[in-house]
């Protein structure tokens, strides 16, 4: 496997300690948990998605473990503006706040709370199980462009997280780039569900959810590959990454960095473990392999 030279990296206007970030929605609800992930080797962290008003989320069950992954339907629970207080202890750290809204105006409002208080913002235009938010907006190129522009115009580094649940993700990525995105994150979870044959009912309280974990890694690689062909801004690969070789594969598809989510549930030390395998003082610059799989 290719080894990379260790050290800080800048992606989409944000300086990271390394190429490995915590994905949104995993241990990102408090400043203490984010600090713990950074202390365990992450190059940066993305918070839980924060919206324009507090939400309790969907009724349980909200999560089911399946072969190769996890299906969740949390429903974007969050404390809204009160989350600003959680960032006080993380000043100067590579923290990216995930935000959502139902309109460009709501995105801009939420972004305004965190401008200057975080390294950057990640627009959640991709959650598959929150009606009126996430993928409901992220499947419309015009809305993606408008929401992105509303946030990017504040002058803060703006990443846009895309859904794989569209016919042409490259079209959506291009819309985000037109709106002023500094980077694209690909991808969020894949629409999924399970049914209890004993109860004859869906397992999740919301019926439907989003699949994450190793099972969606090939889907994410394809999405990153397609986006690299269509866009000129950096891409952050996300979806099923759990090994150093996965990181290298994502980079060869076109990713400049990766986010890790479900693998953290099994091992909070996953960032340090991957870094041990990925980096070497005689390794090459990551730029040599980013997108190298494209003929």
């Amino acid at each position: 496997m290719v080894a990379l030279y260790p050290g800080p990296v800048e992606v989409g206007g944000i300086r990271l300690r390394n190429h490995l970030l915590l994905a949104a929605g995993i241990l990102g609800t408090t400043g203490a948990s984010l600090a713990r992930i950074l202390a365990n080797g992450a190059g940066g962290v993305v918070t839980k998605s924060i919206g324009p008003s507090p939400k309790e989320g969907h009724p349980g069950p909200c999560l089911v473990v399946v072969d190769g992954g996890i299906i969740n339907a949390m429903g974007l629970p969050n404390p809204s503006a009160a989350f600003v207080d959680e960032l006080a202890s993380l000043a100067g750290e590579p923290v990216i706040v995930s935000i959502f809204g139902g309109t460009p105006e709501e995105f801009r409002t939420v972004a305004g709370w965190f401008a200057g208080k975080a390294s950057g913002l990640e627009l959640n235009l991709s959650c598959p199980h929150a009606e009126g938010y996430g993928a409901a907006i992220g499947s419309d190129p015009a809305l993606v462009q408008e929401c992105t522009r509303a946030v990017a115009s504040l002058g803060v580094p703006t990443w846009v997280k895309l859904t794989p649940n569209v016919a042409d993700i490259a079209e959506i990525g291009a819309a985000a780039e037109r709106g002023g995105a500094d980077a694209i994150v690909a991808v969020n979870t894949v629409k999924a569900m399970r049914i209890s044959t004993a109860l004859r009912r869906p397992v999740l309280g919301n019926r439907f959810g989003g699949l994450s974990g190793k099972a969606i890694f090939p889907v994410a690689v394809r999405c990153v590959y397609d986006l690299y062909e269509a866009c000129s801004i950096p891409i952050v690969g996300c979806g099923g990454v759990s090994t150093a070789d996965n990181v290298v594969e994502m980079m060869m598809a076109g990713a400049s960095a990766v986010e890790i989510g479900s693998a953290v549930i099994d091992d909070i030390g996953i960032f340090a473990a991957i870094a041990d395998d990925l980096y070497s003082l005689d390794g090459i610059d990551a730029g040599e392999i980013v997108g190298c799989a494209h003929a």
Side-chain angles (χ1 to χ4, degrees):
M1 188 195 77
V2 175
L4 305 183
Y5 188 80
V9 59
E10 183 168 317
V11 177
I14 299 174
R15 187 169 175 81
L16 307 169
R17 296 178 183 177
N18 58 48
H19 299 89
L20 315 173
L21 296 100
L22 174 72
I26 305 291
L27 293 179
T29 56
T30 68
S33 61
L34 292 166
R36 182 184 179 196
I37 295 295
L38 287 168
N40 275 274
V45 291
V46 184
T47 71
K48 174 67 177 166
S49 292
I50 304 299
S53 58
K55 283 174 61 69
E56 293 185 1
H58 294 314
C62 294
L63 184 150
V64 57
V65 177
V66 297
D67 290 342
I70 299 165
I71 304 175
N72 90 86
M74 300 301 296
L76 297 175
N78 77 99
S80 194
F83 187 76
V84 172
D85 296 337
E86 295 292 338
L87 300 180
S89 62
L90 294 167
E93 299 287 2
V95 177
I96 301 158
V97 178
S98 175
I99 64 172
F100 71 92
T103 64
E105 293 74 24
E106 286 186 350
F107 268 101
R108 185 177 175 86
T109 295
V110 179
W113 301 338
F114 299 103
K117 297 181 175 67
S119 299
L121 301 172
E122 180 180 283
L123 279 60
N124 182 347
L125 290 170
S126 46
C127 176
H129 50 75
E131 186 173 352
Y133 299 107
I137 298 171
S139 57
D140 182 332
L143 272 176
V144 168
Q145 183 173 337
E146 291 176 24
C147 291
T148 303
R149 181 178 290 118
V151 175
S153 63
L154 294 174
V156 61
T158 302
W159 294 8
V160 178
K161 190 169 187 178
L162 304 184
T163 175
N165 305 305
V166 292
D168 185 0
I169 195 169
E171 180 185 16
I172 308 298
E177 183 170 7
R178 289 194 301 270
D182 294 291
I184 293 166
V185 181
V187 288
N188 209 317
T189 55
V190 176
K191 290 193 297 185
M193 74 178 297
R194 290 300 303 269
I195 294 171
S196 167
T197 54
L199 298 177
R200 303 186 181 189
R201 293 291 183 273
V203 172
L204 295 171
N206 186 58
R207 296 181 298 159
F208 314 116
L211 175 65
S212 62
K214 294 179 182 180
I216 74 165
F217 179 72
V219 175
V221 170
R222 170 63 191 271
C223 289
V224 169
Y225 191 94
D226 287 350
L227 287 162
Y228 187 83
E229 296 271 335
C231 304
S232 60
I233 56 177
I235 301 163
V236 179
C238 182
V241 176
S242 61
T243 68
D245 193 63
N246 289 164
V247 176
V248 170
E249 185 174 347
M250 276 285 196
M251 287 182 166
M252 290 180 174
S256 295
V258 302
E259 291 183 3
I260 301 171
S262 296
V264 178
I265 296 173
D266 293 327
D267 179 14
I268 195 172
I270 188 72
F271 298 98
I274 289 178
D276 284 345
D277 291 338
L278 182 64
Y279 296 116
S280 172
L281 291 177
D282 60 358
I284 64 172
D285 183 275
E288 294 186 33
I289 63 167
V290 172
C292 73
H294 295 257

